[in-house]
Amino acid sequence: MVPALLLDAEAVTALVGDAVAAPSMHNAQPWLFRHQRGSNTLLLRMDASRTLPAEDPSGRGLHVGCGAALFNLRVAAAHGGREATTTLLPDPADPELLAVVTLVPQTASQGDLAALHPAVHRRHSSRRPFTGEQIPATVLDGLCGAARAEGVRLVFPDAWHAQTILELAQDARALEAASPETLEEVARWTSRAAPGEGIPADAFGPPAQDGRAVVRDFAASPQPAGSSAVFERAPCLALLGTREDGPLDWLLAGQGLQRVLLQATLDGLAATLNSQALEWPELRWAVRDPLSSMGHVQMLLRFGYGPEGPATPRRPVSEVLTTV
Ligand SMILES: Cc1cc2nc3c(=O)[nH]c(=O)nc-3n(C[C@H](O)[C@H](O)[C@H](O)COP(=O)(O)O)c2cc1C
């Protein structure tokens, strides 16, 4: 079916409903959308009331989450027969305006983006142990290609580097446990989260029995005794990186991250996101792959075959979309 030339309320609601299925740090959902009635343009703004000052003081994670939502929006547009033209950070005087997206009925096929649409609502973070079964190289190559298509890099560290990353994740947990501000912020978005936001307890993973997993244990919300689990010994870790490290790069990283995650979902993989070690400048530099020119690490991922994560809540579209 050919979409109407102008975006109507129903189309905009559907697009935003897909956008907000994106991952965001602590499920804070730091995004707002604005549509001018009778136009083909949607604005993506950050929701500055949803920042994480203790863990994300620069807003890096916020931009990554908003970039992921923007990628979902592009996928939703392609699925609906529209072509999306995106301008990132169009107004230097207004850094909270993250993107302007113009949507017109498509002239050329957007098949590669539209093919990802079935994964938009199926993708969830999974924090449970995976089977340890090896992922075929062709599948991993496909994930690297997904990142490249968005101008970012995905690197799979070798066994030695992966062990270093596991140690850095452990160091990050120790720093977190000693930081009252961090613990308070985690509690605000887990045990004390308002309905429609934050991470519910059923999405937590069990703590690793040997403490060596890149899965955040959300220590501020204690787990019942004896609930620890054995994680795969040699997890399939990946680093997503950008050449530079400013707001524009963070938005690119978010789009690349989401393209990788949607492709992984279609490939039958479960994925964990982890930014703990990246939240401490003294650890972040050490996470990067010393052998590749990947630049700045924006996300640590873990892939595997295993249980899909549960769906987490989202704010209703009516709360994040303004029509003027
Ligand atoms: C920038 C960013 C950082 C994140 N950091 C972590 C993390 O350190 N540990 C973790 O378990 N999940 C992390 N996540 C995943 C979010 O917690 C998750 O996306 C959110 O709770 C929504 O759940 P969903 O991914 O299942 O939709 C991160 C996500 C983003 C976008």
Side-chain angles (χ1 to χ4, degrees):
M1 197 179 72
V2 180
L5 197 58
L6 289 179
L7 283 174
D8 58 21
E10 196 184 332
V12 175
T13 301
L15 288 165
V16 174
D18 284 348
V20 302
S24 61
M25 194 166 164
H26 295 351
N27 199 20
Q29 305 163 56
W31 41 61
L32 293 170
F33 299 84
R34 183 173 297 207
H35 176 232
Q36 190 164 12
R37 204 172 272 113
S39 81
N40 279 328
T41 301
L42 264 174
L43 306 187
L44 167 61
R45 300 189 66 84
M46 72 167 76
D47 183 342
S49 69
R50 293 176 165 266
T51 55
L52 301 167
E55 298 158 282
D56 185 33
S58 65
R60 193 183 63 77
L62 178 148
H63 284 78
V64 170
C66 287
L70 178 60
F71 186 74
N72 270 6
L73 187 67
R74 289 169 48 206
V75 169
H79 172 71
R82 290 192 166 82
E83 209 168 291
T85 311
T86 303
T87 310
L88 300 178
L89 300 171
D91 183 357
D94 184 4
E96 293 186 9
L97 175 58
L98 301 180
V100 176
V101 186
T102 306
L103 297 142
V104 292
Q106 71 194 19
T107 47
S109 166
Q110 307 277 301
D112 52 342
L113 285 182
L116 296 171
H117 189 260
V120 164
H121 291 277
R122 245 174 60 201
R123 181 218 61 84
H124 307 299
S125 298
S126 175
R127 301 182 182 85
R128 310 202 71 80
F130 299 158
T131 62
E133 184 189 335
Q134 197 151 2
I135 303 169
T138 48
V139 172
L140 299 182
D141 284 349
L143 299 183
C144 293
R148 260 196 317 276
E150 296 301 319
V152 300
R153 281 197 72 188
L154 190 73
V155 170
F156 292 95
D158 63 19
W160 170 83
H161 187 205
Q163 287 308 314
T164 307
I165 293 170
L166 285 169
E167 280 158 26
L168 291 167
Q170 238 169 342
D171 292 346
R173 277 197 293 277
L175 288 170
E176 241 178 47
S179 162
E181 297 78 22
T182 302
L183 296 178
E184 166 59 24
E185 196 165 84
V186 171
R188 148 79 183 87
W189 293 102
T190 51
S191 52
R192 297 208 318 269
E197 62 188 32
I199 309 179
D202 70 344
F204 295 1
Q209 219 162 60
D210 59 1
R212 286 170 73 78
V214 296
V215 175
R216 198 162 192 142
D217 52 18
F218 295 107
S221 307
Q223 311 264 329
S227 64
S228 64
V230 177
F231 281 73
E232 62 278 12
R233 225 160 36 91
C236 175
L237 303 182
L239 300 171
L240 186 100
T242 53
R243 204 168 316 189
E244 305 295 335
D245 195 27
L248 187 76
D249 310 283
W250 304 335
L251 289 171
L252 293 177
Q255 292 180 82
L257 170 70
Q258 189 62 1
R259 190 162 190 146
V260 167
L261 290 173
L262 295 183
Q263 185 57 54
T265 304
L266 292 185
D267 292 338
L269 291 171
T272 309
L273 308 185
N274 192 294
S275 60
Q276 277 175 297
L278 311 181
E279 291 157 22
W280 302 90
E282 60 272 46
L283 301 181
R284 186 181 174 203
W285 71 270
V287 175
R288 85 192 194 295
D289 182 356
L291 299 177
S292 76
S293 54
M294 72 172 308
H296 302 266
V297 180
Q298 306 295 352
M299 187 59 74
L300 168 58
L301 297 118
R302 163 182 168 255
F303 294 108
Y305 298 102
E308 286 179 16
T312 51
R314 291 295 186 274
R315 293 192 286 162
V317 168
S318 56
E319 261 183 42
V320 298
L321 171 64
T322 312
T323 303
V324 290

